[in-house]
Amino acid sequence: MAEGARLTGLVPLLQVFDMVAARAFYIDLLGFAVHHAAPEVETAEGRFSHWMWLRRDDVSVMLNTAYDSNERPAAVDGARWAGHGDVCLYLGCSDIDAFHAGLAARGMKLDPPAATPHGMRQLTLTDPDGYLICVQAPA
């Protein structure tokens, strides 16, 4: 262990196929805001930043495009993206019922939070790139 060094956070970096869709999911649906971002570029795929650091309350996530400008294929390569289902981001939540209600109000159809055998209530969803997100609170 490095003496005197204090770790201050963890920010996962997720590769995304379509930054416009990923941005809409994390910002418009989940309520994150852009903390930092690369300059926007105009590409055949649309106008967007290739990299974004998003924050909501005490939670951060970074998104990065998997392809450079004008190089994204027309369709997702299933083999390349298959492993995303093995990644799950667990987010603590102070009021999971209010969080669920907010998602429902924005048009997302999902089951209500479910109790787990280990004393949590969880709400699980999948982002546009196949990453799992589990929002949880103590039961």
Side-chain angles (χ1 to χ4, degrees):
M1 176 163 84
E3 295 301 321
R6 183 177 166 277
L7 300 177
T8 61
L10 173 69
V11 183
L13 174 66
L14 305 177
Q15 276 197 346
V16 301
F17 179 78
D18 181 339
M19 182 61 87
V20 174
R23 185 182 197 280
F25 178 84
Y26 284 93
I27 292 174
D28 300 338
L29 189 60
L30 298 186
F32 281 79
V34 176
H35 179 60
H36 289 296
E40 287 191 345
V41 294
E42 189 69 45
T43 73
E45 299 90 16
R47 183 174 180 79
F48 55 85
S49 297
H50 278 284
W51 169 84
M52 291 183 188
W53 180 356
L54 306 177
R55 295 176 95 178
R56 177 178 170 172
D57 305 317
D58 295 331
V59 176
S60 291
V61 64
M62 291 187 292
L63 307 176
N64 195 69
T65 56
Y67 300 96
D68 287 332
S69 296
N70 306 311
E71 293 182 1
R72 188 178 81 196
V76 171
D77 174 359
R80 178 175 182 172
W81 298 90
H84 290 192
D86 289 343
V87 174
C88 187
L89 305 175
Y90 283 81
L91 310 179
C93 185
S94 63
D95 187 340
I96 196 162
D97 294 308
F99 188 82
H100 176 263
L103 293 177
R106 289 181 193 87
M108 186 172 215
K109 297 191 183 336
L110 67 162
D111 293 331
T116 69
H118 53 277
M120 301 298 283
R121 292 183 63 230
Q122 297 179 330
L123 179 66
T124 303
L125 46 144
T126 305
D127 85 353
D129 291 284
Y131 296 106
L132 299 174
I133 299 170
C134 179
V135 182
Q136 63 180 5

